[in-house]
Amino acid sequence: MTKTLSSIDSQGLAALEARLKDDLDLLCYPSKDWIPRRDNVTDVVIIGGGMCGMVAWLALRTGGVHNLRVLDRAAKGNEGPWLGYARMETLRSPKFLTGPAFGHGSLTFQAWFRAQFGTEDWNQLDKIPRTMWMDYLCWYRKVLDIPIENGVSVDHVEPEGDLLRLTVSGAETGIILTRKLIFATGRDGTGGPNIPGFIKGLPEHLWAHSADEIDFAALKDKHVAVIGVGASAVDNSAEALEHGAAEVRHLVRRKEMPTINKMMGIGSYGFTAGYAALPDEWRWRFMQYSFATQTPSPRGSTLRVSRHPNAYFHFDKATTRIDQSGDGTLIHFADGTSYQADFVILGTGFVIDPMARTEFGETAAEILLWHDVYTPPAGEESADLGRFPYLNSDFTFREKNPGKAPWLKNVYCFNYGASASLGKVSGDIPGISDGAAWLSRAVAAALYGEDIEVHWQGMQDYDMPELLGDEWQPTELPVEIRSRESETV
């Protein structure tokens, strides 16, 4: 870019905001509030105030769901991973994707950027800087006036009659009763960081997962081992190198570097709309193939590492165990070799495991998973994929044993955990608005059906006349016309 943040065109941004308000007014946003209120009950609670949670809120408000609360445990401006464990310089997604704009051109990142920096700088921009994406999301929240309640954590969910009882802590402590609950909790929203068994027993000061807070300054002059070569592994490797690590060695189980993002190759509206309707064998096949081929780290992120002469990539190095050795570690590989490192970073991604979500308590064991339903053919096995929840078509969880936890039908999985069942519509930038539209229709349909008798009574009670009685005068049919009619008969 040729401009800096100090030269932001505030007038351009104000004009964009005015245009967005006008667009929303023309579309009668928000739609009328049509849901009967219950005392001390919230219709929908959204856990997560990041991109997924905010676009879900917008979709629901657009559909007339007003009695909403959005909770996020992070401080304001720190929702999502962008200022935390996300350590890439730029986003992977192309800059022109509409993301969470929900059909509003004035709400896109492109509109926000061009309003401040102009078209010339937009044309020069390659990828979206990570921190700038967070700036955009903060603007998105502000311009839509999304009432996110920060510093609030949902600790436990349980049924209370036909409602859900949420135990919360943080800025608000107590109980929230809600009819519907949406987990818009991102990449680790139905599980957590993937911690391999080979790290078990190693003192915690000698290792970290890529999603942890890491003191990279403390890695200066250290020998650092990074397990894995995916996006998060590469980004953390770059951070260590840029903070003065003596060397960083990627220890990669695969025999060669993944280079092709298979899911990007088939991305289309057809895939977004059609994936969830496919039979189990095809949904599994698509997702398992994506897992098996692995999404490569972005080119820019990889070059960010390899430009350092003290960065190394070692393939066919499957780690079997890691022992403490003096003040550091000794990493053992399946080929019988080993490597001594001062610190280990696990770039091993996240695991989907509802049992890891403490919010569900013992009910987590009652969530139906893919391995409970589908047995893949030889060559397509995947333990990781098998742990994904097997969702209903409306994003809700299903019971493993019918009747044991019927309240799960009121909990919506609008995060990465939904991808095996419904596709990439609940976490990734390309499909997030389609997913939010889908989710909002499902939630609205469920709420309407539950209140059907109230709506039926409302139809009968409605007595606002459109005609007032002065629009016409009744007349008698003339005698000659009545005579002609009788003759015809």
Side-chain angles (χ1 to χ4, degrees), residues 47-48 71-73 85 152-158 181-194 350-367 369 387 389 397 407-408 411-417:
I47 303 177
L71 314 177
D72 197 293
R73 62 189 178 191
Y85 66 81
V152 179
S153 177
V154 176
D155 302 322
H156 188 60
V157 182
E158 59 188 329
L181 178 64
I182 298 172
F183 274 83
T185 41
R187 191 75 177 178
D188 61 340
T190 322
N194 180 21
F350 296 91
V351 64
I352 295 298
D353 180 10
M355 288 296 292
R357 302 303 307 189
T358 58
E359 299 95 332
F360 290 111
E362 294 182 357
T363 304
E366 290 299 326
I367 294 175
L369 307 180
R387 285 190 292 268
F397 291 100
W407 58 273
L408 288 173
V411 184
Y412 297 76
C413 180
F414 193 59
N415 55 51
Y416 177 63

Side-chain angles (χ1 to χ4, degrees), residues 43-343:
D43 290 326
V44 182
V45 170
I46 301 172
I47 303 177
M51 178 182 71
C52 296
M54 290 196 296
V55 71
W57 178 91
L58 173 60
L60 288 163
R61 285 274 292 179
T62 298
V65 182
H66 290 239
N67 185 16
L68 284 165
R69 294 181 69 173
V70 184
L71 314 177
D72 197 293
R73 62 189 178 191
K76 184 176 181 179
N78 286 280
E79 302 86 359
W82 310 109
L83 300 183
Y85 66 81
R87 298 180 175 113
M88 62 284 209
E89 290 182 320
T90 66
L91 273 59
R92 176 195 297 271
S93 300
K95 65 181 180 180
F96 52 78
L97 294 182
T98 56
F102 201 65
H104 303 292
S106 298
L107 198 54
T108 60
F109 175 85
Q110 180 177 173
W112 175 82
F113 184 97
R114 290 173 60 182
Q116 300 169 92
F117 301 107
T119 301
E120 181 181 347
D121 280 355
W122 170 256
N123 291 336
Q124 293 177 7
L125 182 68
D126 177 28
K127 294 291 181 67
I128 301 173
R130 168 178 52 86
T131 55
M132 182 176 282
W133 179 254
M134 188 67 214
D135 291 339
Y136 158 69
L137 292 178
C138 288
W139 172 80
Y140 184 106
R141 171 182 180 171
K142 178 181 76 71
V143 75
L144 291 173
D145 194 23
I146 303 176
I148 300 171
E149 300 172 51
N150 289 97
V152 179
S153 177
V154 176
D155 302 322
H156 188 60
V157 182
E158 59 188 329
E160 183 164 311
D162 63 344
L163 303 174
L164 298 175
R165 177 186 177 92
L166 313 184
T167 303
V168 300
S169 62
E172 176 180 329
T173 300
I175 302 299
I176 297 174
L177 295 178
T178 185
R179 297 175 65 182
K180 306 294 178 185
L181 178 64
I182 298 172
F183 274 83
T185 41
R187 191 75 177 178
D188 61 340
T190 322
N194 180 21
I195 310 298
F198 58 66
I199 205 78
K200 185 178 181 180
L202 191 69
E204 292 187 0
H205 71 278
L206 294 176
W207 68 276
H209 188 273
S210 59
D212 294 334
E213 291 186 15
I214 300 176
D215 182 3
F216 285 98
L219 301 182
K220 188 176 186 301
D221 299 326
K222 301 289 187 181
H223 291 70
V224 179
V226 177
I227 310 293
V229 77
S232 64
V234 166
D235 293 331
N236 279 265
S237 173
E239 287 285 328
L241 290 162
E242 291 163 3
H243 281 80
E247 67 175 28
V248 173
R249 295 183 182 269
H250 278 276
L251 307 175
V252 188
R253 180 183 71 250
R254 295 173 180 270
K255 296 183 184 297
E256 57 187 27
M257 184 76 129
T259 59
I260 300 172
N261 185 348
K262 296 290 188 175
M263 293 299 284
M264 182 175 289
I266 62 167
S268 68
Y269 182 74
F271 183 78
T272 299
Y275 176 88
L278 294 172
D280 288 352
E281 58 265 31
W282 276 111
R283 288 190 288 174
W284 180 278
R285 186 170 297 155
F286 273 112
M287 205 58 62
Q288 187 273 336
Y289 184 65
S290 173
F291 281 20
T293 54
Q294 187 178 352
T295 301
S297 60
R299 173 176 167 80
S301 297
T302 309
L303 290 172
R304 182 185 170 199
V305 172
S306 60
R307 67 179 177 227
H308 294 270
N310 53 336
Y312 306 92
F313 296 83
H314 302 283
F315 297 93
D316 201 14
K317 290 293 181 183
T319 301
T320 56
R321 78 175 195 274
I322 305 179
D323 299 324
Q324 184 173 6
S325 177
D327 294 331
T329 71
L330 184 63
I331 305 170
H332 300 270
F333 306 111
D335 63 6
T337 61
S338 60
Y339 168 67
Q340 198 151 14
D342 297 312
F343 193 78

Side-chain angles (χ1 to χ4, degrees), residues 4-15:
T4 64
L5 291 179
S6 62
S7 61
I8 287 178
D9 183 353
S10 59
Q11 291 184 338
L13 194 59

Side-chain angles (χ1 to χ4, degrees), residues 377-425:
E380 293 185 11
E381 300 89 350
S382 173
D384 290 339
L385 186 56
R387 285 190 292 268
F388 274 70
Y390 189 90
L391 302 178
N392 291 308
S393 61
D394 61 357
F395 291 93
T396 56
F397 291 100
R398 300 178 67 169
E399 300 172 86
K400 188 174 297 185
N401 299 292
K404 283 291 189 70
W407 58 273
L408 288 173
K409 69 181 181 181
N410 294 319
V411 184
Y412 297 76
C413 180
F414 193 59
N415 55 51
Y416 177 63
S419 57
S421 296
L422 304 177
K424 300 285 190 174
V425 293

Side-chain angles (χ1 to χ4, degrees), residues 13-36:
L13 194 59
L16 173 65
E17 293 173 356
R19 187 167 79 238
L20 174 63
K21 183 181 185 306
D22 191 44
D23 290 343
L24 293 173
D25 288 343
L26 290 171
L27 293 171
C28 301
Y29 167 86
S31 182
K32 74 171 186 177
D33 187 351
W34 50 269
I35 303 174

